[in-house]
Amino acid sequence: MIALVEGASRQKTPNEIALTILLAALTLIFVPVVVVLQPFGHFAGATVSVIVLVALLVCLIPTTIGAFSRRSGSPAWIASSSATCSRCRAGG
């Protein structure tokens, strides 16, 4: 029974495909923007370390993924929120 469930696969919905494309595009935009921040900072007379740039990138990408997955009604978000939803527990 477990093997049957683990082996199950389904096609992505059009919304999931669009979300994947959007997240890939935003990631491809974030990377050059973060890379360009160091030369801009140097030009402006500020020092921007590589650690700060990596931290910025690490913070930007999951935030974007989380924001869009909640808007798209991702099943993972629905499952995690249904356990803590006050209306769900109240039956309303």
Side-chain angles (χ1 to χ4, degrees), residues 25-44:
L26 287 174
T27 301
L28 291 175
I29 291 170
F30 284 155
V31 171
V33 167
V34 170
V35 169
V36 168
L37 285 177
Q38 190 169 21
F40 280 176
H42 181 69
F43 178 74

Side-chain angles (χ1 to χ4, degrees), residues 2 14 24-25 30 35 37 45-46 48 55 60 65-66 74 79 81 84 88-89:
I2 293 174
F30 284 155
V35 169
L37 285 177
V48 182
L60 281 175
I65 293 170
S74 171
S81 67
T84 60
C88 297
R89 282 184 271 149

